[in-house]
Amino acid sequence: MENCIFCKIVRGEIPSTKIYEDDNVLVFKDLHPVSPVHVLIIPKVHFDNLHMMSTSCEGLEALNAIFQALPEIVRLVGLEEKGFRLINNCGVSAGQSVMHTHFHLIGGRSLGTKIV
Ligand code: DGP
C-alpha cells in the first residue's frame, strides 16, 4: 500500500530497528515502547487488520507464518523464560492507529494480571 507507514518500513523507505525478518514477516522495535521489550510483528503483505486477515486464505497463510516465527522472535528478544504478552488492536475502537495488521510483543517487566 502506497501510503501505509508499515509498508514503507517493509520497503525500507522509513527506518526501523529490525529484530527479525524472513520472507513473510518483519519484526521491529515500537517507536513508543511501553515496556523494556516492545516490538511489532507484522506480515510483509498489507492487510488492514486482523479480521481481514483471518477471513482470507492469503491472510491465514500470513498468520501461520507469523506464528511459526514467534518462538524464534521470542528467543531473540530474550523473553523465552520471562514470558510475554501478545496484543493485537483490531479496528479503531480497539485502539488500532496503524491500519496494517501488527502484533505488539511486550515484556521484560511485570505486566500485571489485567488486560486493560
Ligand atoms: P496500534 O495503536 O495498535 O495501531 O499501534 C501502533 C504502534 O505503532 C504504536 O505503538 C506506535 C507504533 N508506530 C507508529 N508509527 C511508527 C513508526 O514509524 N515506526 C515504528 N517503529 N513504530 C511506529
Side-chain angles (χ1 to χ4, degrees):
M1 289 267 288
E2 187 68 22
N3 292 318
C4 168
I5 295 171
F6 289 175
C7 285
K8 287 183 180 180
I9 287 176
V10 169
R11 293 195 295 265
E13 295 167 13
I14 293 178
S16 68
T17 306
K18 291 181 187 174
I19 300 296
Y20 172 90
E21 181 170 17
D22 64 29
D23 289 347
N24 304 298
V25 182
L26 181 64
V27 182
F28 52 93
K29 288 189 178 180
D30 193 289
L31 205 54
H32 306 298
V34 299
S35 55
V37 175
H38 185 171
V39 298
L40 300 173
I41 305 173
I42 69 168
K44 286 188 170 177
V45 173
H46 182 95
F47 295 90
D48 283 355
N49 59 50
L50 182 59
H51 182 67
M52 288 185 72
M53 281 186 91
S54 56
T55 50
S56 77
C57 288
E58 194 191 8
L60 287 170
E61 281 174 17
L63 280 173
N64 190 42
I66 285 173
F67 282 93
Q68 279 193 13
L70 188 60
E72 173 67 359
I73 297 164
V74 166
R75 190 189 68 75
L76 286 170
V77 297
L79 294 180
E80 258 178 332
E81 305 297 327
K82 295 177 179 165
F84 57 87
R85 187 169 288 165
L86 190 65
I87 300 167
N88 171 259
N89 297 325
C90 180
V92 173
S93 64
Q96 185 178 358
S97 62
V98 178
M99 297 303 155
H100 179 132
T101 305
H102 52 280
F103 293 92
H104 299 256
L105 174 64
I106 65 176
R109 66 171 171 82
S110 174
L111 298 170
T113 56
K114 296 193 190 314
I115 294 170
V116 289

